[in-house]
Each structure stands twice: as structure tokens, then as C-alpha cells.
Amino acid sequence: VTVEACTHDRISSEQFLKAVGIVPPPVSICEEKTMGGQGDFEWVYTEEPHATRRKVILEKYPEIKQLMRPDPRVKYLVSAMVIFQIASCYVIGASSLALPYVLALSYCLGGVLNHSLTLAIHECSHNLLFGSSRPKANKLFSIFANLPIGVPMAISFKKYHIEHHRLQGVDGYDADIPTQWEANTFNSTPRKFLWMFLQPLFYALRPMLVFPKPLSGLELLNVAVQLSFDALVLYYCGWRSLLYLLSGTILSMGLHPMAGHFIAEHYMFSKGHETYSYYGLLNYLTFNVGYHNEHHDFPSVPGSKLPEVRRIASEFYEDLPSHPSWVMVIWRFLTEPQMSLYSRVKRSCKVQPPLAE
């Protein structure tokens, strides 16, 4: 087995490790479970593929380590988006736009910017704005980026997103995977349609049900700052402006082209593959979150440098399945009977306690 033959995660972990001369971990790390069919998740007993691929790529291309540094330009772009949204609130508040026009503006403009800001918060969660030596600066800036979103989520997102990387697919830890109840309930095209519309609600509540953690002081600060900002918008700009922000967030995380990445990233459209990239134009609005295999392989590389990762180590990514369109991903997920909320890889692993923040 050659290294080139192992550059995608369809082969077993044991084959991959043997091919690159790495001693495989004991099988007892992950308990084997029966592969899920219809009505169950896809249970696997292999380790997640990204750590192994990262090690192999770095051995061949050590220059990628030079990309593992913060991108200071992002904070200026994020600041401009926050200021634009605040200015939009002032303009909308000074107008007498009818409700349908406010909602249309929220979907087409405010929602795009707010969704982009959630992905700026994603960058902050990996310390990609101020570096890993200044974690608090990244967290505080994420609270600032959170302001137009209307709902306090920046600090809580980081707390659970790190587990999604460290324990990808692990039952009871990875809150990115739908619950059994969700998968059982939203099991037809009309119900999947409803689930996608309600997706912001499930993303907000699921972590507290799957893997509850105590509130931190920074989370309380996030809540206090956000509610104060919302109150100021309501007082000075009126209800239309607050609706513009909140509805933009809700609509853009549901049935919206930008929300296609929620489905595209880890739903199993090709058997044996649990992470997928997208290389289209919407990456310009989402800090390259579409480069998702590259991101999981190198979470310490900022989104702006992920295309460079793919260019340098192209042979490791060119044969992996990817999505040409997030809109098409949504359509396939909703209409294809074989695609469901069960179309996710799960692993039942004995893991160490979560890392302290």
C-alpha cells in the first residue's frame, strides 16, 4: 500500500498507519459496534482520519508549519462588518420599511453578514486572530463579533467546538451530530425541511443536552454584553432594526445557501467519508470554511491560508470527495431518501476527560 493510495479515508486506519510506518494504536481505544444501516448512524471503530493525515502531510511538507500563525487582517474585516450592521440598524430605524421588506433585507443582506460573523467567531475559537498566546483576546473579540448576531453564542461555541475537533464523531461528546430523537423525528422530506428551518434552535440547545457543561464567567459576560447591545438597538433604532438582526441570524442558519455548509461538512454523502470540502465562491463570504478537510487536518491554520494547504499537499486532497455547491447539498439532503439525519459517522470511544479551557 503506497502513501498515495492512503490519502483518502476510505481505507482502514490500520492500512494507513502501516503504509506510512506508524505503529497503530490498540484497537481497544475504540469499541467496535455494528455498522448502522437504515434507522441508525454509521458506527465505526477506526480513529478519526485527520490526525493521521496531518502527521503524514507534515512529514512530507514541513513548510505548512509556516502557515500556522494568526491572520491579523481578519479583525479589521470583522470590525467593518460589525460597523456596517450597526449603520444598517440606524438606516432601517430611520425608515418606515414594511415587515416583508425588513425580512427580505434580513435574508439577502443582514443574514449573509451575520452568518459570516458566526464564522469569524469560528476563527476566534481556534485563536486565529490574536494567536494561541493570547486566548482571552480572541475570546473578547469574538464577543464583539457576536454583537450583530443578536444572540449570545461566541463563548459557548468555542467551548463545544473544540470537542468537535478533538473527539470528532464520538458519541456523547461531539454535539455537532444530531440526537437520536432528531433523527427519528425528522425522517422525511417535509420533516427534514422543517428541521433545516429550525436548525438554529437545535444547534443552540443540542450541546446542553448531549454534553452539558457549567457556565463560565466569560459566557455570562457574553450574555450581558449581548443583551445590553440588543436593548440599545431597540431603544435607539426601533423594533425593525432588532428584527433585521435577529431574523437575519435565524434565516441565514436555516434554509439559506450559506447554511449549506452545516450539511456539507460531515454528512456522509459518500460511504466511508466523514468530512467533505467545498471549493466554490461562497468561501469568500465564510472565511474559507468550505475547505473543511484542510481545516480539520490543520485547525491552527487560518481560513485565508487553507487554499495554500491544499495547493502544497494537493495529492492528499484531490481524490477526496467534495461538494460543488452548497445549494445542491441542501437539495440532495432534503430530497434523497437515503440521506437523513442518521447520515453521520459515529464512534464509541473510551476518551480522556475534556481538556480544561
Side-chain angles (χ1 to χ4, degrees), residues 283-302:
N283 279 304
Y284 288 107
L285 300 174
T286 57
F287 298 94
N288 283 330
V289 76
Y291 286 76
H292 217 65
N293 266 304
E294 294 84 350
H295 168 61
H296 270 263
D297 288 352
F298 299 99
S300 55
V301 173

Side-chain angles (χ1 to χ4, degrees), residues 85-116:
Q85 286 292 70
I86 293 173
S88 297
C89 287
Y90 177 80
V91 172
I92 292 169
S95 71
S96 56
L97 280 176
L99 180 60
Y101 293 106
V102 174
L103 293 177
L105 198 60
S106 298
Y107 189 88
C108 298
L109 176 62
V112 172
L113 289 169
N114 280 5
H115 198 114
S116 185

Side-chain angles (χ1 to χ4, degrees), residues 60 103 119 168 173 192 202 258 295 306 316 334 338:
K60 186 172 183 181
L103 293 177
L119 294 166
Q168 180 177 312
Y173 288 90
K192 286 188 287 184
F202 291 116
M258 291 183 72
H295 168 61
L306 291 175
F316 289 86
L334 291 175
Q338 71 271 22

Side-chain angles (χ1 to χ4, degrees), residues 96-306:
S96 56
L97 280 176
L99 180 60
Y101 293 106
V102 174
L103 293 177
L105 198 60
S106 298
Y107 189 88
C108 298
L109 176 62
V112 172
L113 289 169
N114 280 5
H115 198 114
S116 185
L117 285 169
T118 66
L119 294 166
I121 289 171
H122 170 253
E123 293 280 291
C124 290
S125 74
H126 290 287
N127 296 322
L128 295 175
L129 272 68
F130 297 94
S132 56
S133 63
R134 300 175 64 192
K136 183 161 284 188
N138 287 281
K139 291 179 180 179
L140 292 175
F141 191 83
S142 73
I143 293 175
F144 169 71
N146 198 156
L147 292 177
I149 295 170
V151 179
M153 50 78 67
I155 304 302
S156 298
F157 174 81
K158 175 180 174 65
K159 183 168 68 174
Y160 287 101
H161 184 68
I162 298 306
E163 302 299 346
H164 166 63
H165 277 266
R166 195 172 75 91
L167 303 169
Q168 180 177 312
V170 175
D171 188 30
Y173 288 90
D174 187 353
D176 188 66
I177 298 177
T179 62
Q180 192 86 31
W181 178 83
E182 289 174 74
N184 284 334
T185 303
F186 300 97
N187 56 4
S188 64
T189 292
R191 293 186 180 191
K192 286 188 287 184
F193 188 99
L194 177 61
W195 179 82
M196 283 215 65
F197 183 76
L198 298 174
Q199 195 169 206
L201 179 66
F202 291 116
Y203 266 85
L205 298 179
R206 189 189 302 138
M208 294 182 284
L209 299 174
V210 172
F211 188 16
K213 296 183 178 185
L215 283 173
S216 68
L218 276 176
E219 282 179 284
L220 295 176
L221 176 64
N222 192 180
V223 171
V225 169
Q226 188 63 58
L227 293 181
S228 299
F229 176 81
D230 292 348
L232 289 172
V233 169
L234 182 62
Y235 182 80
Y236 286 105
C237 302
W239 65 268
R240 288 183 180 85
S241 297
L242 186 59
L243 178 65
Y244 163 77
L245 295 179
L246 291 173
S247 61
T249 297
I250 294 169
L251 292 172
S252 71
M253 294 183 70
L255 285 164
H256 192 282
M258 291 183 72
H261 75 89
F262 289 127
I263 305 299
E265 289 165 358
H266 296 293
Y267 278 78
M268 194 172 60
F269 284 82
S270 179
K271 191 173 179 65
H273 294 271
E274 56 187 290
T275 305
Y276 300 78
S277 289
Y278 155 80
Y279 302 115
L281 293 176
L282 287 177
N283 279 304
Y284 288 107
L285 300 174
T286 57
F287 298 94
N288 283 330
V289 76
Y291 286 76
H292 217 65
N293 266 304
E294 294 84 350
H295 168 61
H296 270 263
D297 288 352
F298 299 99
S300 55
V301 173
S304 61
K305 301 298 183 183
L306 291 175

Side-chain angles (χ1 to χ4, degrees), residues 58-77:
L58 286 177
E59 286 177 352
K60 186 172 183 181
Y61 300 110
E63 62 267 32
I64 286 179
K65 293 179 182 179
Q66 301 303 313
L67 303 177
M68 299 178 184
R69 57 184 64 183
D71 186 348
R73 300 171 299 175
V74 174
K75 59 178 176 286
Y76 301 113
L77 177 59

Side-chain angles (χ1 to χ4, degrees), residues 2-9 16 53 56-64 279 294 297 307-321:
T2 64
V3 172
E4 287 73 21
C6 299
T7 54
H8 52 76
D9 48 2
F16 192 108
R53 188 160 58 225
V56 176
I57 290 175
L58 286 177
E59 286 177 352
K60 186 172 183 181
Y61 300 110
E63 62 267 32
I64 286 179
Y279 302 115
E294 294 84 350
D297 288 352
E308 184 68 5
V309 170
R310 184 171 187 261
R311 186 193 67 79
I312 292 172
S314 58
E315 70 271 27
F316 289 86
Y317 297 108
E318 58 191 11
D319 292 331
L320 293 176

